[in-house]
Amino acid sequence: MTILGIESSCDETAAALIECVRGKLRVVTDVVASQVAIHAQYGGVVPEVAARNHMENVVTVLQRALGKRRPDVLAVTAGPGLITSLLVGVQTARTLAYLWKKPLVAVNHIEGHLYANWLENRSVQFPAIVLIVSGGHTELVLMKDHGKYELLGATRDDAAGEAFDKGAKLLGLSYPGGPAISKQALAGDVSAYSFPRPMIDSADYDFSFSGLKTALLYTVMDIKKQKKRLTPQRVSDLCASYQAAIVDVITAKTMRAVEQYHVKFVLCGGGVMANHALRESLSKKLTSLNSSVQLRIPSFKYCTDNAVMIAAAGAFHAMRKDFTPWKKVEARSQWDFTSKS
Ligand code: KG4
Ligand code: ZN
């Protein structure tokens, strides 16, 4: 079975073709047209500009992913995301499903991030802890089987990616903030500034990052009040200390979930998982906690938005014959993949 994935939920127009043979996935093509450079000049994604660019890119991206091939199944990101951006991918997929008379899967973007873990072809034992850290989501989920989830906790305000993006903006760094902060942090001292670790000891699995961002703002204001300049070294120290606070909270909560639910696997996903410090911290802590627990993190290019992960999630839905008639596939700006509705 071949599956075409289409992704347009934010600022990447992407299409990919994968092959699924007895549950094993193989990437045939993987095309991403990124709009990052366009949105960087505005300091963030401008929805209207994003939708317009998806419209301009979608046909070319599809042509490059498909060539003369026709997929057996179509999978499209139907949500969550920017509604006008989602509409471009959804309407394209509906049209192709109708024309080619092919089954269509409406994929949840966050579930797509999770299924990037199946691209490397290794099996997973359930239950597993799922950690999603992206631009709009920070969630810990108990995955009991394919399609069976229990949400353990989520952010109460900003997502981890937002904490990176907003922090970078405060420090005058470029968009997107995650890669900018992690690059600057390389030359910084993690203990130069002491930032709070919000909710690190709370008994739940929720997160909160907006207070941390405010702490960074006050620290920057203090530096300026003391008539000190934001030198490159200070910016690096701020980045390293700020990043360490985010990484510590995410690591601590994930470890607690691993211990409480006695899982053998931790499956990570989302753009923030491209962060080296986070990857290292999770791996170190997990090894010291229990070396028999396996940590799965997709390769860098499958952490940030792409269509291969959407096709991968689509493949697992297709194996369960979980299709949606093309007329009923609708774009949804909000959609919790762990809830049935
Ligand atoms: O998953 P993603 O590509 O898009 C969404 O679904 O939101 O995640 C984008 C987020 C952005 O907030 C970006 O700053 C963050 O992922 N990000 C990173 C890194 N690379 C991307 N955050 C920290 N470190 C990175 N290296
Ligand atoms: Zn994403």
Side-chain angles (χ1 to χ4, degrees):
M1 166 172 73
T2 57
I3 305 106
L4 170 70
I6 301 175
E7 156 65 34
S8 72
S9 66
C10 190
D11 59 349
E12 328 275 2
T13 321
L17 192 66
I18 69 165
E19 197 177 48
C20 176
V21 180
R22 285 182 293 278
K24 292 202 170 168
L25 309 180
R26 184 177 74 84
V27 180
V28 181
T29 58
D30 173 13
V31 182
V32 181
S34 174
Q35 302 175 17
V36 164
I38 297 166
H39 298 286
Q41 57 189 308
Y42 305 106
V45 179
V46 183
E48 173 62 34
V49 175
R52 188 176 287 265
N53 276 277
H54 286 309
M55 288 294 285
E56 283 173 13
N57 293 337
V58 72
V59 173
T60 325
V61 166
L62 273 170
Q63 271 178 333
R64 284 174 51 206
L66 281 174
K68 295 209 183 317
R69 291 169 286 239
R70 291 287 172 268
D72 301 316
V73 172
L74 298 162
V76 64
T77 304
L82 301 171
I83 193 74
T84 47
S85 286
L86 287 165
L87 280 168
V88 177
V90 165
Q91 201 51 30
T92 304
R94 282 164 50 119
T95 308
L96 293 178
Y98 166 72
L99 282 175
W100 294 341
K101 300 187 173 49
K102 297 292 179 191
L104 179 57
V105 182
V107 175
N108 181 299
H109 179 83
I110 304 302
E111 195 183 33
H113 276 302
L114 163 61
Y115 272 90
N117 285 289
W118 271 269
L119 291 167
E120 257 103 14
N121 245 348
R122 289 165 301 172
S123 63
V124 169
Q125 283 167 30
F126 298 115
I129 291 294
V130 174
L131 168 68
I132 299 291
V133 277
S134 72
H137 292 77
T138 303
E139 290 175 5
L140 277 166
V141 173
L142 182 66
M143 183 174 188
K144 296 168 182 170
D145 200 343
H146 292 286
K148 294 207 170 84
Y149 308 105
E150 181 187 332
L151 181 67
L152 302 179
T155 184
R156 295 185 181 177
D157 40 56
D158 291 348
E162 259 175 302
F164 275 104
D165 294 337
K166 290 176 178 174
K169 214 169 190 174
L170 274 172
L171 294 169
L173 301 175
S174 59
Y175 173 85
I181 287 190
S182 63
K183 192 166 161 224
Q184 291 286 330
L186 290 174
D189 173 2
V190 289
S191 51
Y193 298 91
S194 78
F195 287 115
R197 268 67 174 156
M199 301 187 71
I200 197 162
D201 293 320
S202 67
D204 51 31
Y205 292 105
D206 284 354
F207 299 86
S208 165
F209 291 109
S210 79
L212 178 59
K213 171 194 68 195
T214 311
L216 175 65
L217 172 68
Y218 285 146
T219 308
V220 170
M221 281 164 55
D222 257 6
I223 292 172
K224 290 185 175 161
K225 233 192 267 165
Q226 291 166 29
K227 303 259 182 286
K228 289 187 195 157
R229 279 190 320 114
L230 268 186
T231 58
Q233 187 56 54
R234 278 205 184 99
V235 171
S236 285
D237 286 345
L238 284 164
C239 285
S241 306
Y242 185 70
Q243 174 175 274
I246 299 173
V247 166
D248 281 356
V249 176
I250 296 172
T251 306
K253 295 250 160 174
T254 308
M255 291 309 127
R256 189 132 52 78
V258 168
E259 285 187 296
Q260 181 175 344
Y261 291 95
H262 308 290
V263 298
K264 286 274 167 278
F265 284 81
V266 180
L267 311 172
C268 305
V272 180
M273 280 314 308
N275 186 279
H276 287 281
L278 179 59
R279 294 168 85 101
E280 213 178 283
S281 165
L282 285 168
S283 155
K284 264 194 193 152
K285 280 276 156 52
L286 210 52
T287 313
S288 66
L289 184 80
N290 182 345
S291 56
S292 72
V293 178
Q294 292 195 37
L295 176 67
R296 294 282 168 84
I297 306 176
S299 53
F300 289 96
K301 67 173 174 173
Y302 297 135
C303 284
T304 48
D305 289 351
N306 64 85
V308 176
M309 66 184 199
I310 303 304
F316 278 86
H317 281 271
M319 283 186 261
R320 304 196 295 272
K321 302 267 178 288
D322 182 13
F323 302 114
T324 307
W326 68 264
K327 273 187 192 172
K328 294 205 167 151
V329 175
E330 282 178 7
R332 302 168 68 176
S333 60
Q334 311 271 348
W335 180 11
D336 173 6
F337 81 100
T338 65
S339 99
K340 285 279 156 238
S341 54

